[in-house]
């Protein structure tokens, strides 16, 4: 008798009806949006603060380059000793004092600029100042040694290499970034999904064991059926949760921005202005076009199909292991030692994805790990946007499915014996024995 | 009599541990069959084999004339010793789910559940969660779930544990009624008085081997020692005691009576009949008590297990 649909239905409903699941499903997006809003609001507050920086330029060479902006007021001091300037800044509680000595030699001058402040100054402030000074002092130096600045400006070139493969498809750096984002998102999504819902499967197996209902159930259905039913039911509940998060998240984001719409618009004036400016700038316009181009250049069909297959097989591979762990132990605290061998390849896969695939998507390391079944779902998903030959994808998928069938078989064996075992936590050696029973 | 279940030479090893060694039992149709044995003897393994939870390494199981197969799942109802239900699931939903796993359709299951819930007076529990019920209440639900699909073979592992005397009696009556309606019952317990009361046949499993089985009366007959418990009133009890101990094998007996008579356990040898003994006693005084000592299942259990341990 095939009870799989019945088991799936029960597992699904028992997850979805669970109070903490409902609370998590509804609260998570609310909390996320609230957090984002708070962070956005706070950083806006931070940006709104106006800093006053006093400048004591004894050389008279650079003070003209500092123009006050919305966030920074430059207070130029003249004819004052350094000590007086310091006292003044302290008394008016200014942000800091930039001191430029009166030295004729620009090189020497540049090595003797100091910034005094009460607290250690923000890194961005210092690097802004450094940039301004460097640019200006370099120009002065050019002039001093008799180089025509206009000629330099004129002779400067920018290089943007156009990429094209032998078939004639063009691509660009923006392309690579887009590929990276898509691959990374796919791989990371799988990673998160495995960890969250794998754990859920494990807990539900343990629950069945501790409530001792398991013996009644296995007298009616085969353990393998129960295990698969659990995995599929829980995964469907997971997908439901993901879908609700997505929908609820977008609605909330829409509502929040509608309520605070005016506020946000005001807050974002500088950025919007920047975007406005960028739109008018032909160079940036090309970039946007390139990005759109890059998106359409992605092997989209391939990506979607591969995503579905690698996601499902990868997820099933890991979740069957989670189910086996749940069956082997009596309570959640005992799961730690068995979790490590599962988590390790997963984390390895994500690291390889992030560090190696970006560097060299078709290099040896990326290629090898996109074939090893325990890392292949994540690594291959990250590689595919960069174009992976179909035979490689098929081979990797075949290996993955083969391993998946094998692990489900092993897991089912451990599961079958484990669910009826109570008492002490088994060792790896005992698990091996169970497989042979 | 027809056999409902026959287990032939079932063996099961877990690694180096032999859980069951060539055990055969045959359960007559319509009987209550007691499966006895100390803890860890292998009863649960045997029950799990019958339930197809565990496969035997060797040996066959025949249920109602057919080799055991998947279609028999609906013919067996199993109440395990380690029992439990989904804690956070509602009683009704849970019972429906478990009944459907046994192959009942939803509507039939619902109908029968209503009947049973009314019968055991638990109708208002339908929407409660198991975690809101007491242990005894949960046991009742579990019992209903076990018998709901009207299986041919019912296996109860310690069915009375967790019940108060009133509910234990209620369950006992239900088990007897199920048997009258044609079910066969395998009954595994350590409570010998309920074996004595309910079972027609027994098998005793000890250290993975079956060491005894048969009709409970036959077993008792085999274990009886021709011992009689007697009480006699005479003028001189101690003189009679002396006389008796010369003629028969005697031991002081301990039973409660109203007067102060001579109480003895007398074991007859093969040449002596109970009539001889009774005639002898009546000639000496007034006989107030004359009973053949029949070994209880408890005695047989302890005796055979200890003998086996000595070997």
């Amino acid at each position: 008798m095939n009870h799989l649909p019945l088991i799936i239905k029960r597992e699904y409903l028992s997850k979805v009806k669970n109070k903490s699941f409902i609370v998590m499903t509804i609260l998570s997006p609310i909390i996320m949006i609230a957090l984002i809003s708070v962070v956005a609001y706070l950083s806006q507050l931070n940006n709104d603060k106006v800093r006053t920086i006093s400048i004591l330029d004894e050389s008279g060479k650079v003070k003209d380059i500092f123009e006050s902006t919305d966030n920074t007021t430059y207070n130029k001091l003249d004819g004052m000793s350094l000590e007086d300037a310091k006292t003044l800044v302290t008394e008016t509680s200014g942000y800091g004092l930039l001191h430029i000595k009166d030295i004729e030699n620009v090189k020497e001058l540049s090595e003797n600029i100091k910034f005094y402040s009460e607290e250690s100054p923000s890194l961005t402030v210092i690097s802004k100042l450094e940039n301004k000074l460097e640019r200006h002092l370099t120009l002065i130096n050019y002039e001093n040694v008799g180089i025509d600045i206009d000629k330099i400006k004129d002779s400067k070139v920018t290089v943007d290499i156009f990429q094209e493969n032998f078939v004639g498809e063009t691509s660009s750096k923006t392309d690579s970034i887009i590929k990276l984002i898509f691959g990374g998102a796919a791989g990371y999504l799988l990673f998160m999904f495995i960890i969250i819902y794998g754990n859920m499967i494990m807990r539900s197996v343990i629950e069945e064991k501790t409530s001792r209902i398991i013996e009644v159930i296995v007298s009616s259905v085969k353990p393998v059926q129960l295990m698969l039913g659990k995995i599929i039911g829980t995964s469907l509940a997971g997908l439901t949760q993901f879908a609700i998060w997505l929908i609820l998240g977008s609605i909330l984001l829409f509502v929040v921005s509608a309520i605070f719409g005016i506020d946000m618009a005001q807050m974002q004036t500088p950025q919007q202005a920047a975007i406005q400016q960028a739109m008018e700038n032909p160079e940036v316009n090309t970039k946007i076009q390139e990005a759109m181009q890059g998106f359409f250049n992605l092997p989209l069909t391939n990506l979607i199909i591969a995503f579905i297959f690698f996601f499902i097989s990868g997820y099933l591979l890991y979740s069957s292991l989670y189910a086996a762990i749940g069956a082997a132990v009596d309570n959640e605290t005992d799961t730690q030692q068995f979790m490590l061998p599962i988590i390790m390849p997963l984390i390895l896969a994500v690291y390889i994805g992030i560090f190696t695939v970006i560097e060299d998507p078709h290099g040896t390391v990326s290629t090898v790990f996109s074939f090893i079944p325990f890392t292949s779902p994540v690594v291959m998903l990250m590689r595919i946007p960069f174009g992976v030959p179909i035979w490689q994808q098929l081979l990797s998928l075949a290996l993955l499915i083969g391993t998946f069938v094998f692990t489900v078989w092993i897991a089912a064996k451990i599961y079958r014996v484990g669910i009826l075992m109570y008492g002490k936590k088994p060792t790896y050696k005992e698990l091996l024995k169970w497989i042979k029973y | 009599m027809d056999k409902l279940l026959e287990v032939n030479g079932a063996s099961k090893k877990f690694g180096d541990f032999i859980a069951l060694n060539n055990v055969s039992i045959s359960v007559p149709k319509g009987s209550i069959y007691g499966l006895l044995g100390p803890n860890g003897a292998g009863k649960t393994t045997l029950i799990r084999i019958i339930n197809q939870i565990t496969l035997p390494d060797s040996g066959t199981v025949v249920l109602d004339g057919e080799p055991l197969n998947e279609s028999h799942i609906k013919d067996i109802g199993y109440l395990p010793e380690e029992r439990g239900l989904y804690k956070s699931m509602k009683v009704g939903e849970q019972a429906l789910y478990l009944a459907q796993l046994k192959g009942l359709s939803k509507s039939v299951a619902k109908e029968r559940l209503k009947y049973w819930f009314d019968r055991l007076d638990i109708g208002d529990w339908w929407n409660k969660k198991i975690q809101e019920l007491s242990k005894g209440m949960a046991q009742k639900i579990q019992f209903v779930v076990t018998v709901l699909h009207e299986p041919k073979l019912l296996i109860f592992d310690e069915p009375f544990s967790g019940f108060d005397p009133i509910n234990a009696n209620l369950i006992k009556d239900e088990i007897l009624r199920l048997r009258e309606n044609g079910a066969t019952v395998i009954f595994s317990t350590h409570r010998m008085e309920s074996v004595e009361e309910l079972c027609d046949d027994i098998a005793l499993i000890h250290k993975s081997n079956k060491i005894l089985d048969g009709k409970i009366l036959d077993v008792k007959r085999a274990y009886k020692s021709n011992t009689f418990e007697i009480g006699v009133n005479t003028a001189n009890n101690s003189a009679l005691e002396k006389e008796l101990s010369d003629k028969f094998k005697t031991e002081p007996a301990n039973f409660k009576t109203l007067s102060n008579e001579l109480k003895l356990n007398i074991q007859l040898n093969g040449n002596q009949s109970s009539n001889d003994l009774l005639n002898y006693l009546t000639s000496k005084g007034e006989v107030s008590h004359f009973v053949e000592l029949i070994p209880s299942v408890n005695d047989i259990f302890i005796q055979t297990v200890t003998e086996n341990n000595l070997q």
Side-chain angles (χ1 to χ4, degrees):
Chain A
M1 260 171 292
N2 185 13
H3 293 304
L4 199 54
L6 198 63
I7 300 170
I8 293 174
K9 192 176 138 206
R10 195 208 81 86
E11 291 298 330
Y12 179 79
L13 286 179
S14 78
K15 293 285 170 308
V16 174
K17 281 183 180 170
N18 185 299
K19 279 203 187 79
S20 61
F21 184 89
I22 296 173
V23 171
M24 273 302 291
T25 309
I26 295 175
L27 272 190
S28 293
I30 295 179
I31 291 173
M32 277 298 282
I33 299 288
L35 270 180
I36 292 172
S37 311
V38 167
V39 169
Y41 179 66
L42 286 182
S43 61
Q44 204 62 45
L45 271 188
N46 211 18
N47 283 346
D48 282 351
K49 211 170 73 183
V50 178
R51 294 195 181 97
T52 312
I53 295 173
S54 303
I55 293 162
L56 182 60
D57 180 13
E58 290 172 359
S59 70
K61 281 194 170 80
V62 292
K63 63 180 174 193
D64 295 338
I65 60 170
F66 295 103
E67 276 173 25
S68 299
T69 64
D70 285 350
N71 313 340
T72 323
T73 311
Y74 294 107
N75 181 21
K76 291 160 197 166
L77 306 174
D78 260 330
M80 207 184 266
S81 74
L82 178 60
E83 288 312 310
D84 288 346
K86 278 186 189 166
T87 330
L88 183 78
V89 171
T90 322
E91 274 168 5
T92 54
S93 53
Y95 189 77
L97 171 68
L98 182 70
H99 180 230
I100 299 129
K101 282 192 184 150
D102 186 12
I103 300 171
E104 196 48 45
N105 185 317
V106 175
K107 269 231 161 106
E108 212 175 303
L109 174 89
S110 65
E111 280 157 14
N112 281 293
I113 298 173
K114 270 193 181 161
F115 188 83
Y116 299 94
S117 64
E118 199 171 345
E119 295 157 1
S120 53
S122 122
L123 217 58
T124 38
V125 169
I126 292 295
S127 58
K128 240 190 228 166
L129 290 175
E130 281 174 349
N131 274 340
K132 272 185 201 278
L133 288 167
E134 251 171 43
R135 230 181 302 148
H136 189 66
L137 289 176
T138 313
L139 286 182
I140 295 177
N141 229 1
Y142 280 151
E143 229 167 299
N144 285 352
V145 293
I147 296 170
D148 189 342
I149 297 163
D150 287 336
K151 274 189 181 163
I152 287 188
K153 273 187 184 163
D154 210 35
S155 42
K156 198 168 182 192
V157 291
T158 47
V159 177
D160 196 357
I161 296 178
F162 288 94
Q163 304 169 31
E164 187 176 323
N165 67 9
F166 294 124
V167 200
E169 290 167 344
T170 56
S171 59
S172 63
K173 265 189 307 207
T174 332
D175 257 20
S176 300
I177 291 166
I178 292 213
K179 284 171 179 168
L180 212 67
I181 290 170
F182 270 81
Y188 199 71
L189 197 66
L190 174 61
F191 173 74
M192 290 303 290
F193 207 83
I194 288 174
I195 296 221
I196 297 177
Y197 299 107
N199 256 305
M200 203 184 252
I201 290 170
M202 191 178 72
R203 275 202 305 275
S204 116
V205 175
I206 295 175
E207 186 218 325
E208 237 161 41
K209 253 187 105 171
T210 45
S211 72
R212 310 262 165 165
I213 193 174
I214 193 74
E215 200 161 347
V216 177
I217 305 272
V218 290
S219 71
S220 310
V221 300
K222 287 214 171 96
V224 187
Q225 260 184 28
L226 181 63
M227 189 178 91
L228 286 178
K230 252 183 189 323
I231 292 174
I232 298 171
T234 310
S235 315
L236 290 178
L239 284 177
T240 311
Q241 194 171 46
F242 251 66
I244 293 176
W245 279 346
L246 215 63
I247 296 168
L248 213 59
S250 348
I251 292 176
L252 275 177
L253 208 59
F254 181 73
V255 169
V256 167
S257 54
I259 292 173
F260 303 105
I262 308 155
D263 262 340
M264 277 189 164
Q266 271 175 355
M267 280 196 281
Q268 281 170 359
T269 319
Q271 283 98 315
Q272 276 179 344
I275 293 168
Q276 205 84 51
Q277 218 177 344
M279 294 293 271
E280 283 154 18
N281 186 334
E283 201 182 317
V284 176
N285 220 343
T286 353
K287 283 274 179 225
I288 291 170
Q289 273 180 356
E290 268 177 21
M292 294 301 285
Q293 186 72 31
F295 177 74
F296 288 114
N297 270 355
L298 283 176
L300 276 181
T301 327
N302 183 352
L303 195 64
I304 289 166
I305 294 172
F307 180 74
I308 291 169
F309 278 102
F310 277 98
F311 193 92
I312 292 175
S313 335
Y315 174 70
L316 288 181
L317 173 69
Y318 275 100
S319 52
S320 62
L321 289 177
Y322 271 103
I325 293 178
V329 300
D330 279 2
N331 53 61
E332 238 180 303
T333 42
D334 285 346
T335 58
Q336 297 305 328
Q337 65 157 342
F338 298 116
M339 294 286 283
L340 194 67
I342 291 196
I343 298 290
M344 284 299 282
L346 261 183
I347 291 179
L348 185 71
V350 171
Y351 272 94
I352 287 170
I354 290 175
F355 293 117
T356 324
V357 174
I358 290 176
E359 192 62 39
D360 187 1
H362 305 301
T364 320
V365 177
S366 327
T367 312
V368 166
F369 278 98
S370 65
F371 282 108
I372 296 176
F374 285 90
T375 53
S376 68
V378 174
V379 178
M380 191 54 106
L381 280 180
M382 289 190 177
R383 270 186 73 200
I384 284 176
F386 295 94
V388 177
I390 293 294
W391 71 265
Q392 278 196 12
Q393 295 183 32
L394 287 179
L395 180 61
S396 166
L397 193 62
L399 282 174
L400 182 60
I401 290 174
T403 316
F404 151 62
V405 170
F406 181 68
T407 39
V408 167
W409 182 73
I410 294 272
K413 290 225 159 199
I414 293 179
Y415 188 86
R416 208 187 57 192
V417 179
I419 45 178
L420 296 172
M421 293 272 180
Y422 292 98
K424 83 181 192 16
K425 185 171 67 167
T427 59
Y428 282 109
K429 216 172 130 195
E430 278 169 309
L431 287 187
L432 265 180
K433 263 206 288 186
W434 291 2
I435 293 169
K436 289 185 207 142
Y437 281 174
Chain B
M1 202 198 268
D2 260 5
K3 304 290 185 202
L4 180 78
L5 176 81
E6 274 181 284
V7 178
N8 301 311
S11 297
K12 180 74 189 170
K13 264 169 135 184
F14 294 110
D16 295 330
F17 175 72
I18 299 168
L20 216 52
N21 182 25
N22 198 20
V23 170
S24 306
I25 60 168
S26 62
V27 181
K29 224 171 232 172
S31 69
I32 297 185
Y33 194 93
L35 198 55
L36 316 180
N39 296 321
K43 288 173 301 190
T44 306
T45 306
L46 179 60
I47 290 175
R48 283 181 182 166
I49 286 173
I50 297 170
N51 271 301
Q52 306 182 61
I53 295 173
T54 316
L55 288 176
D57 296 337
S58 62
T60 57
V61 182
V62 177
L63 184 79
D64 213 7
E66 277 176 58
L68 198 64
N69 60 55
E70 227 178 285
S71 68
H72 287 133
I73 283 173
K74 64 176 190 325
D75 296 328
I76 300 178
Y78 174 35
L79 182 72
E81 184 180 4
E82 295 285 6
R83 60 198 74 148
L85 295 159
Y86 289 111
K87 286 200 176 59
S88 52
M89 224 176 152
K90 283 178 183 162
V91 170
E93 282 173 16
Q94 177 145 226
L96 272 181
Y97 172 65
L98 293 171
Q100 279 174 283
L101 285 186
K102 282 288 186 187
L104 286 186
S105 75
K106 200 169 179 178
S107 53
V108 172
K110 213 167 197 167
E111 210 171 283
R112 288 198 196 160
L113 274 174
K114 286 248 152 60
Y115 166 79
W116 273 101
F117 275 34
D118 283 345
R119 200 179 160 79
L120 296 182
D121 213 13
I122 54 179
D124 51 339
W125 295 356
W126 189 273
N127 276 321
K128 281 197 176 156
K129 286 185 177 172
I130 292 293
Q131 56 200 8
E132 300 167 34
L133 301 180
S134 73
K135 195 181 172 202
M137 291 157 111
Q139 300 275 56
K140 268 191 182 176
I141 311 277
Q142 195 118 36
F143 179 80
V144 171
V145 167
T146 310
V147 302
L148 196 71
H149 56 292
E150 298 177 354
K152 291 180 199 162
L153 178 63
L154 283 162
I155 303 175
F156 295 113
D157 202 346
E158 293 293 353
F160 303 123
S161 72
F163 279 120
D164 60 52
I166 294 172
N167 278 317
N169 219 33
L170 184 79
I171 295 300
K172 191 189 81 191
D173 290 344
E174 289 302 332
I175 292 176
L176 287 172
R177 204 176 60 88
L178 286 165
R179 196 256 299 258
E180 268 165 42
N181 292 346
T184 306
V185 180
I186 292 179
F187 188 32
S188 168
T189 182
H190 288 131
R191 290 182 24 167
M192 294 306 157
E193 72 276 10
S194 48
V195 175
E196 201 93 47
E197 195 180 346
L198 294 171
C199 293
D200 308 308
D201 297 68
I202 56 167
L204 180 55
I205 293 178
H206 180 46
K207 288 187 179 161
S208 334
N209 289 285
K210 184 185 75 181
I211 53 176
L212 179 74
D213 74 336
K215 295 243 156 276
I216 213 164
L217 290 178
D218 294 342
V219 171
K220 285 193 169 190
R221 236 168 252 139
Y223 274 78
K224 78 170 185 177
S225 54
N226 271 338
T227 304
F228 291 81
E229 196 175 63
I230 60 119
V232 199
N233 259 321
T234 60
N236 189 347
N237 282 351
S238 51
L240 178 64
E241 187 178 356
K242 179 104 194 20
E243 256 178 70
L244 280 169
S245 63
D246 290 340
K247 283 190 81 150
F248 306 98
K249 202 177 156 198
T250 63
E251 263 173 26
N254 198 7
F255 55 90
K256 287 204 169 68
T257 51
L258 296 175
S259 52
N260 198 18
E261 64 262 82
L262 172 68
K263 297 170 208 166
L264 285 175
N265 280 340
I266 299 179
Q267 191 176 3
L268 304 177
N269 61 31
N271 304 325
Q272 300 161 325
S273 79
S274 55
N275 268 348
D276 294 343
L277 174 62
L278 187 58
N279 285 335
Y280 181 78
L281 289 176
T282 44
S283 69
K284 295 293 176 186
E286 194 188 345
V287 177
S288 63
H289 191 95
F290 190 88
V291 176
E292 178 171 12
L293 278 185
I294 302 167
S296 68
V297 178
N298 198 33
D299 295 336
I300 296 172
F301 182 98
I302 293 171
Q303 192 188 329
T304 43
V305 167
T306 20
E307 272 171 17
N308 247 274
N309 280 342
L310 290 176
Q311 282 170 14

